[in-house]
């Protein structure tokens, strides 16, 4: 796969990803599989992973300031 940002090569990796879901709330998603560019380090989630990510992010209370969720497919 080619990076959509710089055109570099990507490889599949497991990493932690931050998501800002409101003005006050940040969620760190632990250990999802992503495609990461070897050149610029941009990450891209797979289409098959997105429904689970959306489900997890939707479950977070907006009263939380920081929440860490372990990703499990």
């Amino acid at each position: 796969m080619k990076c959509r940002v710089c055109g570099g090569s990507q490889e599949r990796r497991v990493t932690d990803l931050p998501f800002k879901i409101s003005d006050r709330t940040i969620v760190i998603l632990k250990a999802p599989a992503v495609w990461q560019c070897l050149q610029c380090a941009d990450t891209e989630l797979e289409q098959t992973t997105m429904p689970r990510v959306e489900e997890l992010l939707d479950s977070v209370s907006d009263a939380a300031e920081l929440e860490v969720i372990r990703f499990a497919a």
Side-chain angles (χ1 to χ4, degrees):
M1 276 181 85
K2 294 291 181 189
C3 177
R4 61 185 161 77
V5 174
C6 72
S9 296
Q10 292 181 317
E11 73 177 16
R12 199 152 194 256
R13 292 188 176 174
V14 173
T15 190
D16 300 336
L17 293 177
F19 293 88
K20 184 172 181 178
I21 60 171
S22 73
D23 287 341
R24 298 175 13 128
T25 305
I26 295 173
V27 176
I28 298 174
L29 196 55
K30 303 276 294 173
V34 299
W35 288 99
Q36 187 169 38
C37 180
L38 300 174
Q39 195 165 293
C40 73
D42 183 63
T43 56
E44 188 173 332
L45 290 162
E46 293 182 350
Q47 290 287 26
T48 57
T49 305
M50 285 306 298
R52 180 67 179 141
V53 170
E54 290 171 353
E55 178 184 325
L56 290 170
L57 295 178
D58 287 345
S59 71
V60 174
S61 167
D62 61 356
E65 192 169 321
L66 174 66
E67 187 155 341
V68 179
I69 301 173
R70 176 152 302 276
F71 181 82

